[in-house]
Amino acid sequence: MGADDTATLTRLRTSTALRAFDLTRDAWRSPSAAPRHGAYEISPRDPAATLTCRLYGRTEGVVRSGVMTGEAAVVEFPETAFGLGIGALGGEAGDCAVRFGELIAAAGAVAYLPTEGAQVPDFDLGLARAPRAVLGSGLLCEGAFAQLARFSTQPDAEAVPIAELARVCLDAVRADTVGLVMLAESAGLVGAWLRRSPAIAVPAISYDVQGARDWLGTTPEPIHEGTTVLVVGVASRAPDPVLAPQLRPLAAASGLVGHFHAVVFSYRPVPQRTVDLRVLVTKMFTHQRVRGLLHLLSDDRGGAGAGESQLRRGLCWAAPVTTVVPSA
């Protein structure tokens, strides 16, 4: 056997070993930098995987200036996609406009908070086909996950801030922008949700305090502690200019921006072993009560603010966002 043949055989053996290593899904490592609040272990899913992020509707000003029905788009959410925005389950923009509210999608399931009626979350698990929703504004990420992080609090910490988790995942995928899907046990969420559809009237949020209260529900302090949550979003330390209007600061000192929605379930411990995301999401919607859905925010008013959303333990799937497609 010549030198070239020996080198080729070595490469083949190495490639086979790497594929076998990846298929076992049982190699966990700690992040290179030691986080302050969380204890993390990271495992490769598909290290070469990337995400394409597609934007829908106007990327900013929707809550202040309303949504034009003609700008809404019917979007399918297959198992290979996740996303968030303002919209409603359905297939026609005209039929859904009156119900537009906070929306979240992951692993072939879509949930949203209707702004019509009692504001009880509705969902579609897409058991027979990919669910469809009308998005007045939002984003959809499609592709495979590169890394899986499992996390819990350090012995001297009470919770893990979402900004810290986002930074760990950014480092894990070695990118400036990351798409994330989390299943976690909540230590308290901070955020807001629409009370009225921005597709039926121009919101009065920018005019006075009462107008804001009529249009938005908010969290003056963290809520939903002791629940299980599905969180979907995008975080970045240097966002694509097309994506940047969709993102807001995650925490005052983090230097990160992001956009996250969360759907809240009655409590059930999140498995810490490697589990298929679709299986976990389906079990949550079918076996646990859906208690709420909100857009996560960071309230950085110091002692007067509610701070940021925090988690206790869970799993987080991550991949770099390498392509951003602007809305048509």
Side-chain angles (χ1 to χ4, degrees):
M1 182 180 293
D4 291 342
D5 293 332
T6 301
T8 299
L9 182 59
T10 300
R11 285 196 298 271
L12 286 172
R13 286 173 175 168
T14 301
S15 176
T16 301
L18 287 174
R19 288 197 300 270
F21 167 80
D22 183 58
L23 288 172
T24 62
R25 312 291 202 207
D26 61 359
W28 298 87
R29 59 182 174 83
S30 298
S32 54
R36 179 181 174 186
H37 298 91
Y40 301 87
E41 292 180 302
I42 300 169
S43 173
R45 302 295 87 191
D46 180 357
T50 62
L51 296 170
T52 295
C53 183
R54 187 178 301 274
L55 307 181
Y56 293 90
R58 284 178 289 116
T59 55
E60 59 183 337
V62 171
V63 174
R64 291 184 180 274
S65 58
V67 174
M68 300 297 293
T69 304
E71 297 173 339
V74 179
V75 181
E76 281 197 350
F77 291 91
E79 289 188 34
T80 55
F82 62 91
L84 53 84
I86 296 172
L89 287 169
E92 296 289 340
D95 297 336
C96 297
V98 70
R99 297 183 278 113
F100 275 7
E102 314 300 331
L103 181 145
I104 184 173
V110 177
Y112 85 110
L113 186 66
T115 46
E116 181 185 50
Q119 285 206 289
V120 177
D122 191 12
F123 59 89
D124 184 349
L125 291 181
L127 298 178
R129 66 336 176 221
R132 294 194 302 171
V134 179
L135 276 183
S137 175
L139 59 86
L140 178 146
C141 292
E142 189 160 15
F145 292 110
Q147 303 287 337
L148 171 62
R150 60 186 180 191
F151 64 93
S152 59
T153 56
Q154 293 189 16
D156 58 347
E158 294 184 359
V160 178
I162 277 189
E164 179 182 289
L165 180 56
R167 182 174 295 281
V168 169
C169 289
L170 280 164
D171 292 342
V173 302
R174 300 179 182 179
D176 286 332
T177 304
V178 63
L180 302 170
V181 176
M182 313 175 201
L183 291 174
E185 298 162 25
S186 170
L189 303 181
V190 177
W193 59 93
L194 285 166
R195 295 186 187 275
R196 300 171 63 186
S197 170
I200 59 173
V202 176
I205 291 173
S206 60
Y207 304 133
D208 55 47
V209 173
Q210 186 57 48
R213 290 174 177 170
D214 290 343
W215 280 89
L216 282 179
T218 59
T219 58
E221 59 184 22
I223 62 174
H224 296 307
E225 181 180 3
T227 60
T228 303
V229 296
L230 169 65
V231 181
V232 165
V234 172
S236 182
R237 48 192 161 205
D240 183 295
V242 176
L243 178 61
Q246 282 271 3
L247 312 180
R248 296 292 181 269
L250 289 185
S254 71
L256 303 180
V257 291
H259 190 173
F260 289 95
H261 284 191
V263 58
V264 183
F265 300 87
S266 55
Y267 178 76
R268 176 172 291 186
V270 175
Q272 291 294 286
R273 63 188 184 280
T274 306
V275 180
D276 180 79
L277 177 60
R278 169 63 173 175
V279 172
L280 273 177
V281 168
T282 301
K283 284 184 177 179
M284 290 176 72
F285 276 104
T286 54
H287 299 313
Q288 295 166 248
R289 185 165 64 92
V290 182
R291 297 181 54 178
L293 200 160
L294 68 164
H295 168 95
L296 301 185
L297 297 170
S298 176
D299 185 351
D300 59 0
R301 295 175 298 159
E308 65 175 309
S309 299
Q310 303 198 60
L311 309 170
R312 288 206 170 91
R313 62 194 293 273
L315 299 168
C316 182
W317 289 259
V321 174
T322 57
T323 304
V324 177
V325 180
S327 56

